[in-house]
Amino acid sequence: MSRKNPTRPINPILPATTFAGRELLCIRGERRVFADLSFDLEPGDALVLLGRNGSGKSSLLRVMAGLLRPAAGVLLRDGKPVADDPEAHGGAARHVGHMDAVKPVLTVAENLTFWANLYGGSSEGVMIALERVGLGHLATLPGKMLSAGQKRRVNLARLLVAPAPLWLLDEPTTALDKTAVAVVESMIAQHRANGGIVVFSTHVDLAVDARPLVLDDHIPANREPLP
Amino acid sequence: MMVAFADIVRRDVRLALRQGADSLTVVAFFIIGVVLFAFGVGPEMAVLERISAGVLWVMALLASLLSLDRLFQTDYEDGSLDLLALTPTPLGVIVAAKVTAHWLTTGLPLIATAPVLAVLLNMNTAGFGALMLAMILGTPTLSLIGAVGAALVLGARRGGVLLSLLVLPLYIPVLVFGVSAIDSAVMGMATQAQFFILGALLLGTLVLCPWATQAALRQAVE
């Protein structure tokens, strides 16, 4: 794994954050998913998770977000264990998962404003974010009228409403068209230029120059749970 | 933190109002249940008066139970719960906000409907004050206890049935002292003790339930 990083932060406006995992072990349903997994990420880094279906890409992203506790090992943000202060980690990390969390009876802008407020963002930020993902003209439309791709765009706009140094994207391009995929690529590039860190999994080729982390390399020799 | 609390309350109340059927169903269930009792027992005023406090409280418990599944279920299904667990706001505060919104959209309408139904059941007018005060102290306790149950059954199949088995036994103290307060007031006895106990139940659940609920939610999002 090369330490060379072609997109060193040009204009670091985000707080310089490092993010690392040490010998992580994940157990799901009494079965070891991955073991002995370590990584180190510095400002501007991107990590792409590769692996078969069920190799633990989503689980690893949920571990990184703090939703799932690793059965062993430790996650470090700025050298301090994440588990010590989960709320601070919640402020620093944004997780985009399989589900888009768009409420059908709220408008697009209301959906996004709710998250913006919780993340400490502003309502102007909401409109800018919606323009960026190409939904500016749909701000007053209720969530139930959106297509799958549009819902995913709302979910991705959540990344932009308030700055956070760590983006954890679980197949962010699901249901997106080509234009939107290009938007995601440019969002990631800009985030890294700002000094942010991106970890993502994908099944399409994203034009992102990222270090690979192959989860198939971390399949535990013994799938059985610890005694 | 208080800003986040207010934001979540506002969002949940707005969601409940836009899906207007939710609050309305709870009140309609409360009314229909009480009316069924009136029909079932028959037009004997003395009997109705005797059972009025118990019928009102039991129906209030059941109506409150009916609304619990939507407290976390929709957020769980659409992924919002994951995101709520990943905000800078402590999960316990988020739970407290969601329970507050739940009480505003179900407990408050129940309190408003109760005196009308009390008239229907021919409750002695001496009991009305006690009914209102007991409901004001008791219904938030129901929402708080219910939140623990609702969080525990997330992801379970046939969660609704399980939820009632978990929650209804815990509702018994509220039922006992809620009814007893009204009965004492009707008989002209002191009601202070019952209100103190209902208040103590509210304070106890206010401290314990958000904490227990957030622990259950952490399990659910894992």
Side-chain angles (χ1 to χ4, degrees), chain A residues 14-15 17 19 60-67 77 86-97 112 114-122 129 154-172 187-188 191 196-201, chain B residues 82-89:
Chain A
L14 290 167
T17 301
F19 188 54
L60 178 55
L61 284 163
R62 289 176 78 82
V63 166
M64 287 177 171
L67 282 170
R77 207 183 76 255
E87 279 84 36
H89 191 59
R94 295 278 180 278
H95 181 261
V96 171
L112 205 53
F114 171 67
W115 296 111
N117 290 340
L118 283 191
Y119 295 140
S122 65
V154 175
N155 196 357
L156 288 164
R158 210 165 40 76
L159 294 168
L160 302 170
V161 291
L166 181 58
W167 285 7
L168 307 165
L169 316 178
D170 197 352
E171 302 193 22
M187 275 167 62
I188 292 176
H191 183 63
I197 296 172
V198 183
V199 182
F200 64 98
S201 67
Chain B
D82 284 359
L83 298 178
L84 284 171
L86 295 177
T87 56
T89 314

Side-chain angles (χ1 to χ4, degrees), chain B residues 152-167:
Chain B
L152 281 171
V153 301
L154 280 181
R157 278 188 311 124
R158 321 237 331 132
V161 183
L162 193 60
L163 180 61
S164 48
L165 293 180
L166 276 174
V167 165

Side-chain angles (χ1 to χ4, degrees), chain A:
Chain A
M1 236 179 262
S2 145
R3 297 290 313 147
K4 198 167 119 307
N5 182 359
T7 44
R8 274 272 157 236
I10 309 156
N11 173 26
I13 45 176
L14 290 167
T17 301
T18 61
F19 188 54
R22 296 276 175 271
E23 289 161 15
L24 296 170
L25 168 67
C26 174
I27 296 179
R28 299 293 278 157
E30 312 225 320
R31 199 166 149 274
R32 297 197 219 192
V33 182
F34 54 77
D36 198 21
L37 189 149
S38 299
F39 61 88
D40 270 290
L41 295 165
E42 281 172 24
D45 277 352
L47 188 69
V48 55
L49 307 181
L50 304 172
R52 295 171 289 109
N53 291 133
S55 60
K57 300 186 291 293
S58 295
S59 295
L60 178 55
L61 284 163
R62 289 176 78 82
V63 166
M64 287 177 171
L67 282 170
L68 206 60
R69 243 170 320 203
V74 64
L75 273 178
L76 303 164
R77 207 183 76 255
D78 294 330
K80 291 193 235 14
V82 160
D84 288 358
D85 192 353
E87 279 84 36
H89 191 59
R94 295 278 180 278
H95 181 261
V96 171
H98 294 296
M99 293 178 292
D100 292 320
V102 175
K103 290 287 173 197
V105 292
L106 298 184
T107 68
V108 170
E110 282 170 343
N111 266 298
L112 205 53
T113 306
F114 171 67
W115 296 111
N117 290 340
L118 283 191
Y119 295 140
S122 65
S123 40
E124 300 86 72
V126 168
M127 280 319 292
I128 295 168
L130 282 176
E131 292 293 344
R132 181 73 193 274
V133 297
L135 290 179
H137 60 297
L138 299 179
T140 54
L141 205 67
K144 63 182 163 213
M145 310 294 282
L146 298 183
S147 74
Q150 288 169 329
K151 279 184 188 157
R152 179 43 62 107
R153 288 180 192 221
V154 175
N155 196 357
L156 288 164
R158 210 165 40 76
L159 294 168
L160 302 170
V161 291
L166 181 58
W167 285 7
L168 307 165
L169 316 178
D170 197 352
E171 302 193 22
T173 52
T174 307
L176 291 184
D177 58 21
K178 272 187 187 142
T179 357
V181 170
V183 171
V184 173
E185 287 165 353
S186 80
M187 275 167 62
I188 292 176
Q190 195 181 4
H191 183 63
R192 295 174 70 188
N194 289 344
I197 296 172
V198 183
V199 182
F200 64 98
S201 67
T202 181
H203 284 295
V204 300
D205 279 327
L206 272 183
V208 176
D209 183 51
R211 270 194 288 144
L213 175 68
V214 184
L215 277 143
D216 294 336
D217 296 348
H218 295 276
I219 296 173
N222 173 13
R223 279 278 197 184
E224 295 307 306
L226 296 169

